[in-house]
Amino acid sequence: MRWLWIDCIVEHEEGKRLVAIKNVSLAEDVLHDHVIDGKPIMPFSLLIEGVAQTAGILVGSTSKFKEKVILAKIAKASLDCDVTAGDTVRYDTTINRLDEAGASTSGTIDRRVASGEAWERIGRVELLFSHIDNNMSGTEFPEDNFVFSNNFKMILETAGLADLAE
Amino acid sequence: MNRDAIFEKIQEVLDDALGVDEDEVTPDASLTADLGAESIDFLDIVFRLEKTFDFKISQGELFPENLTENPDWVADGNLTDAGLAMLKERMTHVDFTAIEAGDRNISKIGDLITVNSLVNFVEIKLAG
């Protein structure tokens, strides 16, 4: 099973943009392992993973999930403030460039605190993905697409986007 | 655009892609040996060059790829005469003098990709 760090897809523009949200909960063990000054904090690395999963689905959707899309490089990542239990985060991702070798994407992280209604921009993440069956070294990988598992299909179905994978 | 202007833009590209200081980006600096580029950085550099100079770069056009798939080009990990001839024909932006005269191990090919070879590449693309 793959560890999902997004809860659902909320917007999709085919081949261009995908937006997902994540509700941060104290039920997640990782917050208990990442307490700073008494406050449970969502690790930045997992926020980046959330952006990567959102952008990865977007990149994968352009090939109907036939390509194995692997996060290859975090080109830039910045975060202005912490995310904690009760917050909702929104990952808004777009494709800058896509070709047979891979894709570059830009993403933003917005936060809505439990007591508020407004979204606040708190982070920016630029990522590079590789289509690993088309890598520069010519290395071969298993035929089965181990990247986009049933978990991802469930997220697509929940968002009414199951046809993206067909 | 003259070579100096191209060079300045490539300094910015490599600064963004590799996190190196612009003063490290000298014409003779090798992307792998001196600036620490890894294979995925080459894809990043290709995308950034395309955006900066507004042209498209085909896979394998700027950097040699999948050489080992062809036994005529690589034997026992070394570039053959045919492989070298193919690279010289396809990659006129790269100076192959060092590998012609000495060690032909394909691991050394990446070292030939210098900042100057990127400037050559962009100059040829913009002219052509």
Side-chain angles (χ1 to χ4, degrees):
Chain A
M1 175 175 167
R2 178 154 173 164
W3 211 6
L4 287 175
W5 287 100
I6 55 177
D7 290 338
C8 67
I9 295 167
V10 292
E11 285 184 67
H12 174 242
E13 293 174 41
E14 193 172 343
K16 291 182 182 172
R17 177 170 170 257
L18 196 77
V19 185
I21 60 169
K22 157 80 182 158
N23 293 301
V24 181
S25 165
L26 266 186
E28 289 162 324
D29 287 344
V30 68
L31 265 73
H32 299 270
D33 295 333
H34 206 249
V35 177
I36 298 171
D37 295 332
K39 187 176 171 185
I41 302 296
M42 175 92 168
F44 187 22
S45 54
L46 292 178
L47 293 168
I48 295 172
E49 173 65 18
V51 175
Q53 292 186 359
T54 309
I57 291 173
L58 175 61
V59 174
S61 70
T62 63
S63 68
K64 292 198 175 293
F65 303 97
K66 298 291 186 291
E67 294 279 1
K68 301 182 185 85
V69 179
I70 294 289
L71 173 61
K73 179 176 175 178
I74 301 168
K76 279 184 185 165
S78 64
L79 187 71
D80 300 331
C81 62
D82 292 330
V83 171
T84 190
D87 291 349
T88 302
V89 285
R90 181 173 64 189
Y91 306 124
D92 193 331
T93 63
T94 53
I95 292 176
N96 300 326
R97 177 77 173 88
L98 172 78
D99 74 7
E100 61 269 30
S104 73
T105 65
S106 291
T108 55
I109 304 172
D110 296 334
R111 179 186 70 166
R112 187 175 62 197
V113 298
S115 58
E117 292 183 3
W119 291 100
E120 170 192 13
R121 176 73 32 93
I122 62 166
R124 289 171 179 78
V125 180
E126 290 182 19
L127 302 174
L128 205 68
F129 292 88
S130 173
H131 290 149
I132 56 168
D133 286 331
N134 205 7
N135 62 87
M136 290 171 71
S137 67
T139 306
E140 292 189 8
F141 291 88
E143 195 172 323
D144 176 52
N145 195 333
F146 50 83
V147 178
F148 295 109
S149 60
N150 287 335
N151 285 355
F152 276 111
K153 287 178 185 157
M154 181 178 68
I155 281 192
L156 291 173
E157 284 167 8
T158 307
L161 297 171
D163 58 332
L164 284 181
E166 291 167 1
Chain B
M1 192 181 301
N2 63 31
R3 283 185 70 87
D4 287 345
I6 293 170
F7 176 71
E8 280 179 25
K9 284 183 178 290
I10 285 175
Q11 276 185 314
E12 290 171 22
V13 164
L14 295 178
D15 178 21
D16 286 339
L18 303 176
V20 292
D21 292 332
E22 286 188 9
D23 58 6
E24 294 178 71
V25 185
T26 59
D28 293 332
S30 159
L31 267 58
T32 51
D34 298 321
L35 302 180
E38 298 178 12
S39 62
I40 193 63
D41 294 318
F42 289 124
L43 183 61
D44 195 7
I45 290 166
V46 163
F47 285 166
R48 290 177 191 276
L49 288 176
E50 286 182 333
K51 189 176 178 189
T52 301
F53 294 103
D54 194 26
F55 52 54
K56 293 285 179 212
I57 302 171
S58 305
Q59 198 170 8
E61 188 181 352
L62 179 55
F63 309 111
E65 293 184 20
N66 300 335
L67 288 175
T68 54
E69 286 180 3
N70 189 330
D72 292 338
W73 295 341
V74 177
D76 297 328
N78 293 315
L79 199 62
T80 63
D81 287 343
L84 182 59
M86 179 277 299
L87 286 178
K88 286 176 75 173
E89 185 185 336
R90 285 194 195 173
M91 302 192 163
T92 52
H93 53 286
V94 178
D95 179 0
F96 289 99
T97 308
I99 207 164
E100 254 177 326
D103 187 354
R104 286 204 182 178
N105 191 289
I106 56 167
S107 64
K108 302 291 179 191
I109 295 175
D111 295 350
L112 300 180
I113 309 296
T114 61
V115 174
N116 210 29
S117 64
L118 294 189
V119 176
N120 293 340
F121 179 82
V122 171
E123 195 174 41
I124 292 166
K125 287 284 280 187
L126 291 178

